[in-house]
Amino acid sequence: MFSSKSQVERGIVRSFWDDGLIDILAGIVVLLIGIAWKFDLVPLGAVAPAVAIPLWKPLRAWLTEPRLGHVEFSDRQTNQFRSYLVWSFLIGCLTLVLGISLYFYVVKTESALPPHRWVAAIPAWAFAFLALLTSLVILVRRFVGYATVFLLLGVVVLVFEQRPELAMLIGGMFVTIIGVFRMFAFLRSHPRQPVQMNGA
Amino acid sequence: MERRLLFQDELLAFIHEPARLVLLSHLAAVKKTDFVFLLNSTELSRGNLSVQMSRLEEKGLVTIEKVIKNNRPCTLYQLTLLGKKALRRYKKQMLNLLQELPV
């Protein structure tokens, strides 16, 4: 999945993904999952990714492509991105199953937290792992920063015996805000290109 | 004249021009891309990019396809098999040349 790439290829992959859009969508998804958990609607958190993922392509076609241009990656590269999506889906499902289990445990036992408080940190650490995986695939270093933030938020949840959604609310907001700043920077530095005529 | 001394192959001498080499490198890294993406990636001027792509197409190294994407006309470029082979031969020849450098 992480085969070595030439410097040119790395630059192309990085510039393709570095418009801020994936940050904004990922941040909103995490934020919505956190909100769902906050109001004890944990299964509803699964709706957020299902809605956000299909939005990426039309938003990219509207915002990014008129400015950055269009690129089709090779079959090898496309398979790499697909593998990443599969792994993300699996990790997301595992986190959701954990969340639902936690939810039913809390409801059944009427306790604020599970017996082992580190369990509450798992969702944040799952997002940290996802962010790290993302950085390796799309080669945008900012996601290493996001991974660090979620890792630290998991520690905060653990140390201060907080509920899991705290990490998702703070982390989701952080990623969304950074994504918005990145998007603005991208739009400023990439003006909309005139309609192409004769390739010029 | 100097390029013919370096490259017996006229096609490799043609590839040796910096702008064309950058464009071919970018095209080798993807399946297809359009004019705007190459403009952003290579930072060549619009005029220079257009001229170089036309020359690359004339030599059979690149194909040009005009399509409509998201209701906008789009010019897509793809490296041909000849282009890939020429780039491989160029890379091999340059690596041999660099290894023989007396420094």
Side-chain angles (χ1 to χ4, degrees):
Chain A
M1 189 170 151
F2 306 120
S3 61
S4 64
K5 294 182 169 67
S6 68
Q7 201 165 343
V8 169
E9 197 176 344
R10 292 175 73 86
I12 289 172
V13 169
R14 190 179 301 121
S15 69
F16 179 86
W17 292 105
D18 202 16
D19 56 355
L21 187 58
I22 196 171
D23 308 52
I24 293 169
L25 288 175
I28 289 173
V29 164
V30 174
L31 194 55
L32 288 176
I33 292 173
I35 291 169
W37 285 36
K38 172 90 183 143
F39 293 104
D40 293 329
L41 299 167
V42 172
L44 217 58
V47 173
V51 169
I53 290 170
L55 282 177
W56 177 79
K57 204 167 178 182
L59 282 173
R60 191 182 164 85
W62 175 53
L63 277 171
T64 308
E65 282 197 3
R67 292 175 168 83
L68 186 66
H70 176 80
V71 62
E72 290 175 27
F73 289 102
S74 65
D75 292 339
R76 178 182 56 80
Q77 288 158 330
T78 307
N79 287 338
Q80 279 183 4
F81 296 140
R82 274 203 193 111
S83 300
Y84 158 74
L85 278 176
V86 167
W87 278 104
S88 302
F89 175 73
L90 287 172
I91 291 166
C93 286
L94 275 170
T95 311
L96 181 68
V97 164
L98 175 72
I100 293 172
S101 310
L102 269 173
Y103 168 74
F104 281 115
Y105 175 84
V106 164
V107 166
K108 203 170 175 184
T109 63
E110 293 178 4
S111 73
L113 281 170
H116 302 285
R117 5 182 257 260
W118 57 266
V119 175
I122 287 178
W125 291 341
F127 284 122
F129 180 72
L130 262 175
L132 194 64
L133 197 67
T134 306
S135 77
L136 290 171
V137 172
I138 70 172
L139 304 175
V140 174
R141 287 192 202 103
R142 208 162 48 246
F143 280 77
V144 176
Y146 297 155
T148 311
V149 165
F150 275 104
L151 195 68
L152 291 172
L153 285 170
V155 171
V156 164
V157 161
L158 172 63
V159 167
F160 294 102
E161 297 184 9
Q162 296 295 315
R163 284 172 59 104
E165 60 267 20
L166 178 71
M168 285 181 261
L169 291 170
I170 297 173
M173 262 194 300
F174 177 77
V175 173
T176 307
I177 290 168
I178 299 293
V180 167
F181 275 114
R182 179 63 204 130
M183 175 63 81
F184 273 120
F186 169 80
L187 294 175
R188 255 201 321 269
S189 60
H190 291 79
R192 205 174 177 94
Q193 295 291 333
V195 167
Q196 295 170 46
M197 289 169 66
N198 300 323
Chain B
M1 180 65 175
E2 291 86 9
R3 285 180 197 172
R4 281 194 180 269
L5 291 174
L6 269 176
F7 303 105
Q8 270 102 30
D9 188 332
E10 192 189 319
L11 197 57
L12 299 192
F14 175 79
I15 287 173
H16 190 59
E17 202 279 333
R20 288 193 279 268
L21 187 56
V22 162
L23 288 168
L24 288 170
S25 302
H26 279 75
L27 288 169
V30 299
K31 191 174 179 178
K32 284 183 193 179
T33 187
D34 72 349
F35 186 89
V36 174
F37 197 87
L38 286 175
L39 197 65
N40 281 304
S41 303
T42 63
E43 295 183 5
L44 293 170
S45 68
R46 295 183 80 91
N48 194 8
L49 177 56
S50 187
V51 162
Q52 296 300 346
M53 293 313 296
S54 297
R55 287 190 187 157
L56 287 169
E57 192 203 14
E58 281 164 20
K59 288 285 185 181
L61 300 175
V62 160
T63 54
I64 297 180
E65 184 189 349
K66 293 189 197 297
V67 297
I68 302 289
K69 277 221 174 281
N70 306 317
N71 299 320
R72 288 164 64 91
C74 180
T75 306
L76 289 176
Y77 303 106
Q78 187 173 13
L79 200 62
T80 61
L81 197 57
L82 174 67
K84 283 179 196 160
K85 286 180 179 173
L87 207 53
R88 261 186 230 124
R89 280 202 331 267
Y90 174 83
K91 183 181 173 181
K92 192 177 173 185
Q93 193 151 350
M94 284 304 290
L95 284 172
N96 289 339
L97 197 69
L98 290 167
Q99 269 163 3
E100 297 300 317
L101 275 180
V103 290

